[in-house]
Amino acid sequence: MRLFLHLVLIWTAASLLIGFLGYAWLRSAWLKEQEAAFRKVAVAAVATVEARQWDAPAEDSPEWAELQQSLGVGLIPLVAADSADEASFMEDLGASRVLREPPANAADSVGGGSSEIQTGRIRSQAAGSSRQRLSIELPLSSTSVDATRIRVTQELGRSPVRAAWWLQCGVLTVTTYVLGLVGWFFLYRESWQRRRLLRPWFRALESVGQRKRLLPRVEPQDSDFCLQMDAVSRTINQVYSDLKNANDRSELVLGNLREGVLAVDDRFRILLANKAMHRLLDLPDENYLLRPLLEVIRTPAIARLTEKVLRERTATEEQIEFGTAPKHLRILAKPLSLGSQRTGALVTIRDETMIRRVDLIKRDFVANASHELKTPLAAIRAYAETLQLGALEDPEMAESFIGNIIAQADRMDGLVQGMLQLSRVEVGSALKFKLFDAVEAIESCVAAAQAVARSKGVQINVDVPSTKILLRSDRDGFQTIASNLLSNGVRYTESEGSVSVSLREDASSVVLEVVDTGIGMRPDDLERVFERFYRAEKDRSSHTGGTGLGLSIVKHLTQALGGTVQATSEVGLGSTFTVQLPKQPAGDSDASPTLPQAAAR
Amino acid sequence: MYGFQQSKENGSFMSRHLSKDLGDAYHRVLALSGQVEEMVHKAIRALIGRQSDLASEVIGLDEEIDRVEVQIEEECLKMLALHQPVAADLRRLTTMMKINNDLERIADLACNIAERANDLVEFETYPIPEQLSDMAGAATRMVRDSIDAFVNLDIESAYQVIARDDTIDEMNVEIIDQVTSLMQQNPAWIEPALLSFSASRSIEQIGDHAVNVAEDVIYMVNGVIVRHRHNDPRLRPHLQ
């Protein structure tokens, strides 16, 4: 297309040039012809003037004018002395363009006369626009006029060549314009069509995410353009929302994973770090996309493992402790193919602090349970052996030994019962939800605990409302909780101390609180007090009695009944246990009860 | 080896070399800061948990840290001599040298804590103040945030780190009070109390080094030395 335009320009320029040259040539040929004719007319005029006798002054006579008219030329007689006239004439001719020598054959064509007539110079002068005046001065040989010379002038008409020139110019201009327009149309039609084709897309892009129909201002809504635009917009919106949903879903899943996920590319830049990663490594919640790994995560183990994976392209694993209150983290790093032969690293981090803790509790439980069961068993065996070795003969000794054996057996029974109860509660089978009066249930527990309390010199204060507190729960479970807390309180309270039991209700729950003035516990004991066999006093002497299972049973029962238990304590001042139970059992089991350890903190 | 933000100067041959060397040193400093932070964590765990093996591990790590520190410093000096950097590059280089130095000092302090932990193991009944753990957490947080400020050229958070030093100082005073009352309670606890006093002091000094790092970051970004100028009006909003 561009070539076409260039061709048009070149053509125009070339034809203008050729036209001009042609014009100049034609015009000069025409002028020559005109001059030759003029010369003939001038010679004839001189001959005519010479042939007649004129009165002086001749130029005023009517014949002179007639002669001028008939020949179509101007005739001016000139006297030789009239030098001033000559000078002014020469001045007049100063601007003349054409000073032409007569043609060599002019003498032949005229035939006769003096040589000056044949060789007189024709002067050409512009006379008005596009006109030419030719003039020639010729000598007079006769004395019929009172002059020595005569000037003949003739005006030439318009040149037909010039008209042709103008016509050519006009035609050229018009053709150039037309050709240019045609070229422009072809040149721009394509891009214009392209733009028209893209317009709906641009408009549709503007609407992405806004979910509204596009209403063009100009065209009617059912026009092709509008419908296309709507279709485009719908498609883009659909694709956009699909992508967004997919992205949101994976963000949601990754964000809610408990495991930290970190993807690193082959240049140690972060491709992805999920929320759990931020949480586990204590990072601010930011977008770390494409940040260098070390700028964000400087934990040596992670940098080391990532480097190892990127170097060796094999999966590795390590367990580290992180932070001052250590989190036990298991770091797993494996190669991640990124396509086009690039390999990054995928690092997952699992928080194993809880698992380790549970593991520890389990190990402790087995050790504790066997120890607790072994102690009475050893005592029983010792008593029995002593009896076998002859103590049976001594009725008094035998009596006391057998009493001891029974006591130890009772202790074992208590332990086994406790453990059985615990496992039943954990399974959650033995619970029967019925409506009962909590006040009455508490009072019977207090009555049972009074005997031990009195023997230790501990006072039990009861603060319960005089009205009934009805709740739908497991009555036996409730009583077990209450009596376990009570006997626990009494056990760790010295004489002269007191244990207070209070019961109150609010809109949806019943709160049982047992406050003792006993020895209390340190904060880290408080965290573990609900674990099986855990005792605050380290020497594990059983002088306080008890199986070490009571509070564990309380915790599990409370959880099974849908409630919570909390403990606060201060060394030397006593402890407070608060149990909150719902009045109605929860409809489903999905409401997970709060962990007592967490609550205790 | 790691991606590194190219410096904005046009990449003539020498400046490209400088930029690469600066990038290497930069990443070594960052890696060092991670190691030092972990060392402090380990030392504190050894102290609170009375784990002498962990304490010995920390003391053993110090040698490696010292080696890396010397290496980084040599590299920086080499860059100074070879490339004669100016303006931003020079500030960056000197800041890295200073941070490197501070990190090494923090590692030494972690070693001190670990030594105290080793000594404290035998005093089983002495209750080691548990606030030490919180205080150490706060101090290492400061170190980490100051390095983050260095990475992000974030003056705002550098100023915040400087302001947080007061909290550490308060915690230190609290622990000293507690330790003093323990000494009064039981004369047998005087020796372990002095040990935990020293540990607390070390942690407090870690906080001071974090402040140094933060000040270096401010110098690097602004070209203004804020050390010893805590009446600076720009500091005031952060000192509530």
Side-chain angles (χ1 to χ4, degrees):
Chain A
M1 218 57 232
R2 216 161 273 272
L3 183 70
F4 172 76
L5 276 186
H6 286 157
L7 284 177
V8 167
L9 279 175
I10 291 168
W11 180 74
T12 314
S15 47
L16 272 172
L17 189 69
I18 291 167
F20 181 76
L21 290 174
Y23 162 75
W25 183 72
L26 280 177
R27 188 178 152 86
S28 78
W30 177 75
L31 261 179
K32 241 181 241 175
E33 201 175 290
Q34 293 294 313
E35 276 167 13
F38 172 65
R39 191 177 292 274
K40 276 180 191 163
V41 171
V43 169
V46 170
T48 314
V49 168
E50 283 176 339
R52 285 205 7 216
Q53 192 60 46
W54 302 90
D55 305 325
E59 56 263 46
D60 292 340
S61 68
E63 287 87 356
W64 189 266
E66 210 175 291
L67 181 67
Q68 281 187 336
Q69 191 125 34
S70 68
L71 288 173
V73 293
L75 293 169
I76 301 163
L78 298 170
V79 185
D82 197 358
S83 59
D85 204 15
E86 176 76 2
S88 81
F89 175 67
M90 289 310 288
E91 216 166 86
D92 272 357
L93 294 181
S96 68
R97 276 195 293 119
V98 188
L99 286 169
R100 208 175 292 273
E101 293 303 316
N105 59 353
D108 306 332
S109 63
V110 176
S114 74
S115 68
E116 203 190 343
I117 290 179
Q118 303 306 322
T119 57
R121 291 194 299 184
I122 294 173
R123 292 186 169 85
S124 175
Q125 188 189 8
S129 66
S130 76
R131 274 166 201 276
Q132 243 10 89
R133 184 191 288 142
L134 299 179
S135 65
I136 188 169
E137 280 177 31
L138 295 173
L140 284 175
S141 54
S142 75
T143 52
S144 58
V145 185
D146 182 18
T148 55
R149 301 172 75 87
I150 191 159
R151 182 188 293 164
V152 184
T153 62
Q154 189 184 26
E155 286 205 352
L156 293 181
R158 282 170 192 274
S159 145
V161 182
R162 199 179 177 84
W165 158 249
W166 279 116
L167 191 70
Q168 188 214 7
C169 280
V171 169
L172 258 180
T173 316
V174 172
T175 6
T176 312
Y177 270 111
V178 169
L179 283 175
L181 273 174
V182 169
W184 181 83
F185 174 73
F186 279 110
L187 190 63
Y188 284 93
R189 192 184 56 172
E190 205 181 332
S191 72
W192 180 74
Q193 277 176 341
R194 233 182 276 149
R195 207 172 298 173
R196 188 184 163 87
L197 205 68
L198 281 175
R199 199 151 47 147
W201 289 90
F202 289 137
R203 285 297 299 272
L205 274 177
E206 283 170 20
S207 79
V208 166
Q210 293 182 8
R211 290 175 178 284
K212 63 182 182 195
R213 193 159 181 261
L214 288 164
L215 295 176
R217 284 178 214 97
V218 194
E219 304 193 33
Q221 294 196 8
D222 54 353
S223 70
D224 266 0
F225 175 67
C226 260
L227 294 176
Q228 278 172 10
M229 212 152 84
D230 277 343
V232 166
S233 152
R234 255 198 312 281
T235 316
I236 292 181
N237 265 318
Q238 186 60 44
V239 171
Y240 173 80
S241 68
D242 283 356
L243 281 175
K244 193 169 179 305
N245 286 344
N247 195 37
D248 285 354
R249 272 198 301 275
S250 50
E251 285 254 307
L252 197 72
V253 172
L254 280 172
N256 281 304
L257 273 184
R258 289 170 65 100
E259 288 189 339
V261 178
L262 171 77
V264 179
D265 73 0
D266 51 349
R267 291 167 60 195
F268 287 85
R269 291 177 308 184
I270 293 179
L271 297 178
L272 181 136
N274 71 346
K275 284 231 166 57
M277 193 58 133
H278 298 176
R279 196 184 60 240
L280 288 174
L281 296 181
D282 239 350
L283 303 172
D285 260 340
E286 278 172 34
N287 186 9
Y288 295 113
L289 188 65
L290 292 183
R291 293 274 303 270
L293 177 67
L294 265 185
E295 284 192 359
V296 181
I297 299 171
R298 291 185 288 273
T299 313
I302 292 181
R304 194 171 55 236
L305 284 185
T306 314
E307 214 183 310
K308 195 173 170 201
V309 165
L310 288 186
R311 200 177 53 235
E312 296 175 4
R313 310 214 166 164
T314 49
T316 50
E317 196 176 333
E318 195 171 313
Q319 187 154 9
I320 60 160
E321 291 181 23
F322 179 80
T324 47
K327 283 179 196 158
H328 294 268
L329 302 181
R330 179 172 290 280
I331 307 175
L332 230 143
K334 54 185 175 186
L336 177 69
S337 173
L338 299 173
S340 61
Q341 300 197 320
R342 291 166 63 209
T343 306
L346 181 69
V347 181
T348 49
I349 299 186
R350 199 183 308 150
D351 188 355
E352 293 193 333
T353 316
M354 208 58 176
I355 297 176
R356 283 198 144 215
R357 193 164 163 166
V358 169
D359 208 36
L360 200 71
I361 291 171
K362 203 174 82 185
R363 248 192 331 228
D364 278 359
F365 172 72
V366 174
N368 288 338
S370 40
H371 178 82
E372 294 286 336
L373 287 173
K374 213 179 75 193
T375 319
L377 211 56
I380 288 172
R381 191 189 165 86
Y383 287 129
E385 276 174 356
T386 322
L387 283 174
Q388 199 182 27
L389 287 176
L392 261 178
E393 311 301 321
D394 185 344
E396 202 178 314
M397 203 178 275
E399 179 87 356
S400 97
F401 278 17
I402 287 167
N404 281 339
I405 286 174
I406 291 172
Q408 294 295 338
D410 278 349
R411 188 167 162 212
M412 274 181 78
D413 185 52
L415 265 169
V416 172
Q417 288 294 341
M419 283 159 71
L420 279 177
Q421 192 177 16
L422 201 54
S423 65
R424 266 207 305 276
V425 171
E426 275 175 338
V427 172
S429 54
L431 298 177
K432 295 183 200 79
F433 284 86
K434 277 188 300 190
L435 202 63
F436 66 93
D437 177 15
V439 176
E440 182 259 338
I442 280 284
E443 275 165 349
S444 68
C445 293
V446 172
Q450 277 298 0
V452 187
R454 223 173 272 131
S455 71
K456 273 192 79 174
V458 174
Q459 195 186 344
I460 298 184
N461 305 319
V462 184
D463 173 22
V464 293
S466 51
T467 52
K468 287 182 175 181
I469 296 179
L470 290 178
L471 76 161
R472 185 176 291 278
S473 196
D474 182 58
R475 189 193 152 109
D476 289 343
F478 180 76
Q479 280 191 318
T480 311
I481 292 169
S483 51
N484 274 343
L485 288 179
L486 261 173
S487 59
N488 206 51
V490 171
R491 188 173 306 129
Y492 293 106
T493 304
E494 310 291 334
S495 62
E496 312 278 307
S498 68
V499 176
S500 312
V501 186
S502 68
L503 195 65
R504 56 178 193 271
E505 62 173 333
D506 55 32
S508 62
S509 59
V510 174
V511 179
L512 167 70
E513 199 170 63
V514 179
V515 183
D516 65 51
T517 58
I519 56 172
M521 287 169 285
R522 296 194 299 140
D524 45 346
D525 289 329
L526 205 54
E527 281 179 31
R528 302 189 57 190
V529 77
F530 292 104
E531 289 172 16
R532 280 168 282 209
F533 298 117
Y534 186 83
R535 287 182 206 219
E537 78 270 46
K538 286 282 173 279
D539 50 2
R540 203 181 280 285
S541 69
S542 52
H543 73 270
T544 48
T547 57
L549 289 172
L551 285 177
S552 192
I553 292 172
V554 168
K555 183 193 97 177
H556 283 99
L557 261 176
T558 320
Q559 268 181 9
L561 295 176
T564 57
V565 57
Q566 291 183 34
T568 55
S569 183
E570 204 150 322
V571 178
L573 292 179
S575 315
T576 302
F577 289 89
T578 312
V579 175
Q580 189 166 25
L581 289 175
K583 282 183 177 174
Q584 295 286 336
D588 309 303
S589 55
D590 65 347
S592 55
T594 330
L595 278 179
Q597 277 95 341
R601 262 180 234 162
Chain B
M1 135 176 130
Y2 297 97
F4 174 65
Q5 303 157 310
Q6 289 294 317
S7 76
K8 288 177 189 76
E9 274 98 311
N10 52 0
S12 75
F13 182 73
M14 282 307 264
S15 83
R16 242 182 304 141
H17 265 252
L18 174 62
S19 152
K20 185 187 165 292
D21 289 353
L22 269 174
D24 287 350
Y26 169 72
H27 283 114
R28 297 188 84 148
V29 169
L30 290 187
L32 180 69
S33 83
Q35 281 166 354
V36 167
E37 195 184 322
E38 197 184 58
M39 249 178 99
V40 177
H41 284 164
K42 278 185 178 164
I44 292 299
R45 285 207 300 270
L47 182 78
I48 303 290
R50 297 169 202 272
Q51 295 169 272
S52 61
D53 50 342
L54 198 58
S56 317
E57 188 191 324
V58 171
I59 294 165
L61 277 174
D62 190 45
E63 211 170 300
E64 166 75 9
I65 300 282
D66 286 349
R67 200 177 56 75
V68 173
E69 191 244 3
V70 169
Q71 245 174 28
I72 293 175
E73 185 152 337
E74 274 173 356
E75 268 173 41
C76 287
L77 287 171
K78 207 166 73 186
M79 264 185 268
L80 270 178
L82 214 63
H83 299 291
Q84 299 173 353
V86 288
D89 282 344
L90 180 64
R91 289 215 296 268
R92 191 182 181 84
L93 191 57
T94 46
T95 305
M96 271 187 329
M97 286 174 77
K98 286 174 160 195
I99 290 177
N100 182 33
N101 219 326
D102 277 320
L103 289 175
E104 193 270 337
R105 291 286 302 130
I106 293 173
D108 285 349
L109 290 168
C111 271
N112 282 359
I113 297 171
E115 278 161 12
R116 298 296 93 76
N118 243 344
D119 299 339
L120 270 169
V121 171
E122 58 186 273
F123 300 95
E124 276 181 21
T125 52
Y126 173 74
I128 299 172
E130 290 191 11
Q131 292 97 311
L132 277 176
S133 171
D134 296 341
M135 186 173 160
T140 45
R141 189 83 230 182
M142 272 172 72
V143 174
R144 188 202 284 205
D145 287 352
S146 64
I147 297 290
D148 277 342
F150 169 62
V151 166
N152 300 324
L153 309 178
D154 183 356
I155 299 198
E156 185 62 25
S157 61
Y159 274 119
Q160 277 170 15
V161 169
I162 296 174
R164 258 152 55 195
D165 190 39
D166 292 349
T167 333
I168 301 278
D169 292 346
E170 279 164 25
M171 285 169 125
N172 187 32
V173 170
E174 266 174 46
I175 287 171
I176 290 171
D177 285 350
Q178 196 182 336
V179 167
T180 316
S181 71
L182 280 174
M183 280 197 258
Q184 284 159 353
Q185 265 177 41
N186 190 345
W189 284 350
I190 288 178
E191 196 188 337
L194 285 174
L195 291 173
S196 57
F197 176 85
S198 154
S200 167
R201 177 104 189 85
S202 295
I203 298 172
E204 192 260 338
Q205 283 174 343
I206 290 177
D208 291 346
H209 283 291
V211 169
N212 284 355
V213 171
E215 284 168 348
D216 293 343
V217 170
I218 295 170
Y219 165 72
M220 180 176 77
V221 177
N222 273 357
V224 177
I225 297 177
V226 286
R227 241 173 307 144
H228 319 304
R229 280 167 58 180
H230 293 278
N231 290 327
D232 195 316
R234 274 169 306 171
L235 272 174
R236 255 172 235 148
H238 308 284
L239 285 177
Q240 289 128 7

